[in-house]
Amino acid sequence: MSEESVGYCQITLDAKLASRAAPDLYAQLAKQRGNTLVLDASRVEQIGVLSWQILVSAAKTWTNEGKSFEVIDPSVAFTGSAADLGLDLSLVGVETDGEAAGGA
């Protein structure tokens, strides 16, 4: 589900972001390219490596294009999965030290 206005989109990530969900996640993000993007990760219960790759790549793409990309309200499962993989959450725009990574 997403909330959209001109140049801004907020998407609530699905609870299950395992490998099967990766193509849909990619398509949903690609559709918003060029917009400020906020991802609500509060419902995430499971996230796989492919979905992480998509999120990291998207955050890098948005940053390179001078657009804001932020993940808000990361669930325990979201942050735990990142820790298990050794990922710094700032790579996907989770606020750290009061600043959103990837924002412009």
Side-chain angles (χ1 to χ4, degrees):
M1 181 174 190
S2 66
E3 244 179 73
E4 293 183 57
S5 65
V6 176
Y8 174 86
C9 180
Q10 181 169 330
I11 297 171
T12 300
L13 296 174
D14 292 336
K16 305 268 188 228
L17 293 174
S19 294
R20 280 190 184 157
D24 290 339
L25 175 62
Y26 175 82
Q28 194 173 25
L29 297 178
K31 201 166 78 171
Q32 298 306 324
R33 192 164 175 180
N35 292 322
T36 293
L37 187 58
V38 176
L39 303 177
D40 179 344
S42 62
R43 293 183 38 210
V44 175
E45 297 171 6
Q46 177 185 22
I47 181 167
V49 173
L50 291 175
S51 292
W52 276 116
Q53 288 176 317
I54 290 166
L55 291 176
V56 170
S57 176
K60 182 79 170 166
T61 298
W62 262 250
T63 299
N64 288 344
E65 293 178 354
K67 299 297 180 180
S68 181
F69 182 99
E70 181 181 7
V71 174
I72 60 170
D73 298 328
S75 68
V76 171
F78 188 90
T79 58
S81 176
D84 289 346
L85 293 170
L87 290 174
D88 182 337
L89 287 171
S90 68
L91 290 172
V92 293
V94 173
E95 287 192 17
T96 56
D97 299 326
E99 290 187 22

